[in-house]
Amino acid sequence: MDFEEAAGTLYASSAADFIATRNELAKQLKADGDQLGSTRLKALRKPTVAAWLANLVARELPDELDDLLALGDEFRQATADLDGDRLRELTPKRHKILDQLATSAAKLADREGQKVSADVAQKLRETLDAALVDPAAGEAVREGRLDSALRHVGFGVVDETGAPSNVTPLTEERRRRAEERRRARSADVKTAKKDEKPEESAAAKAKREKAEREQEEREAAEKAEARQELDDAVAAAEEAEGTVAELDTQLTEARDALVAAQEAVHRIGEELDEARKAARAAQKESREARKRYNRL
């Protein structure tokens, strides 16, 4: 099992079992020699109820979700073309598919024994609408690994706290799968455009190839920088784990010392009471002996 498989299994677990499942999977990755994957997995956050429900939709209703994202593509195309008639035609479809997904999601949640409040239902609808409007949000929802609901606010996507949400898929594997899905959806269009494409001149080809090489170099540099940032984050997490373990040991030792000190105080107190009793008895005996002596 690698990190991607473990993460998928984790976010497919029930909300109540998330923490226990995460710990168990992290232990398994570590036992398999994947310390980096184990550390990354332990950093994944437990999803809110709305995020858990959106992840459930991604797993159980992938075709319906694809229909939603495809409708988003149509909206963006109509917007780019300034096609008001087309936008007015698509708007009822938008509301209809959101209603259908929300209804199906409620049934799925009921099957899983999870109650869906009005607030959760609204956040799910906002998340699905953000997936329709924003391509990156759509890919994140499709991955089924959200830890917070999403909301499109006109200038981007935010999470449930209102903070900007980084919904762009982070791994090369995710980017590859997303690109394959996009290619599959637009295969016919690309084929038609390719047939219409005029023959490329040698100069244009050289210019294009140079641009491609430069783009590849930039991407390689960005990947290297991202990898370094990840390595630094993992190292910091491992150091923090070591500090936590050390402090936990110190706390345990301090608690043990406190218990021992309390027991010693109790014991000394009892011994002091006994010594005081013995001293009073000795004083009393001394007074009685003095009285007997004085009577002689």
Side-chain angles (χ1 to χ4, degrees):
M1 176 181 291
D2 59 11
F3 169 78
E4 291 295 330
E5 184 180 354
T9 300
L10 175 60
Y11 280 102
S13 65
S14 67
D17 296 334
F18 185 88
I19 301 300
T21 302
R22 183 181 63 188
N23 293 341
E24 183 61 32
L25 289 172
K27 288 181 181 178
Q28 184 175 342
L29 287 175
K30 187 175 183 179
D32 292 342
D34 189 358
Q35 178 62 53
L36 174 60
S38 176
T39 301
R40 290 176 63 195
L41 195 75
K42 285 187 284 188
L44 296 179
R45 296 189 301 177
K46 179 179 179 180
T48 63
V49 176
W52 173 84
L53 189 53
N55 295 338
L56 185 63
V57 168
R59 292 194 306 275
E60 299 288 340
L61 304 172
D63 293 338
E64 291 84 346
L65 185 58
D66 279 345
D67 290 341
L68 176 73
L69 302 186
L71 185 62
D73 291 338
E74 293 186 56
F75 259 100
R76 284 186 289 278
Q77 185 61 53
T79 301
D81 294 341
L82 301 178
D83 189 343
D85 291 338
R86 181 59 174 158
L87 288 172
R88 283 188 289 273
E89 178 186 344
L90 292 174
T91 297
K93 294 182 179 181
R94 176 182 187 174
H95 296 310
K96 181 179 179 180
I97 195 169
L98 286 173
D99 289 341
Q100 291 174 339
L101 278 171
T103 299
S104 298
K107 293 179 180 178
L108 290 174
D110 184 64
R111 185 195 71 186
E112 298 294 324
Q114 176 66 54
K115 294 182 179 180
V116 177
S117 66
D119 180 62
V120 169
Q122 178 61 27
K123 287 178 178 176
L124 172 66
R125 191 182 182 90
E126 290 174 349
T127 298
L128 295 174
D129 196 48
L132 180 148
V133 173
D134 187 279
E139 292 300 335
V141 171
R142 196 204 300 263
E143 282 295 321
R145 298 182 192 175
L146 296 179
D147 56 43
S148 175
L150 306 176
R151 180 163 55 94
H152 193 270
V153 293
F155 56 85
V157 176
V158 298
D159 63 18
E160 293 182 46
T161 68
S165 177
N166 178 16
V167 294
T168 303
L170 298 180
T171 67
E172 184 62 29
E173 176 64 19
R174 293 185 188 181
R175 282 192 290 270
R176 183 186 62 77
R177 292 201 301 267
E179 181 61 28
E180 287 176 352
R181 287 192 291 266
R182 284 192 291 270
R183 284 200 300 268
R185 287 199 302 267
S186 59
D188 294 338
V189 175
K190 288 185 176 180
T191 299
K193 289 183 178 180
K194 184 177 180 180
D195 293 340
E196 298 172 0
K197 186 176 179 180
E199 185 176 353
E200 188 176 32
S201 67
K205 180 179 180 181
K207 183 177 180 180
R208 175 180 55 79
E209 291 177 346
K210 179 181 178 182
E212 290 176 351
R213 286 194 301 272
E214 291 175 348
Q215 179 63 26
E216 290 175 356
E217 291 173 357
R218 285 194 296 272
E219 290 179 354
E222 291 172 357
K223 288 180 182 179
E225 182 180 355
R227 177 68 187 188
Q228 184 59 53
E229 290 177 354
L230 175 60
D231 291 342
D232 291 343
V234 170
E238 291 176 345
E239 183 179 355
E241 287 180 2
T243 301
V244 169
E246 181 180 353
L247 291 175
D248 186 59
T249 299
Q250 293 178 8
L251 178 59
T252 300
E253 293 174 350
R255 285 173 174 167
D256 292 343
L258 177 60
V259 171
Q262 289 173 336
E263 291 176 349
V265 168
H266 181 70
R267 184 182 67 255
I268 293 172
E270 290 181 343
E271 292 175 354
L272 180 59
D273 289 341
E274 291 298 325
R276 286 172 175 168
K277 290 179 183 179
R280 287 195 294 270
Q283 290 173 352
K284 182 178 180 180
E285 179 61 28
S286 175
R287 289 194 297 271
E288 293 296 329
R290 184 178 298 278
K291 290 178 182 179
R292 289 195 297 272
Y293 175 78
N294 290 337
R295 286 199 295 267
L296 295 177

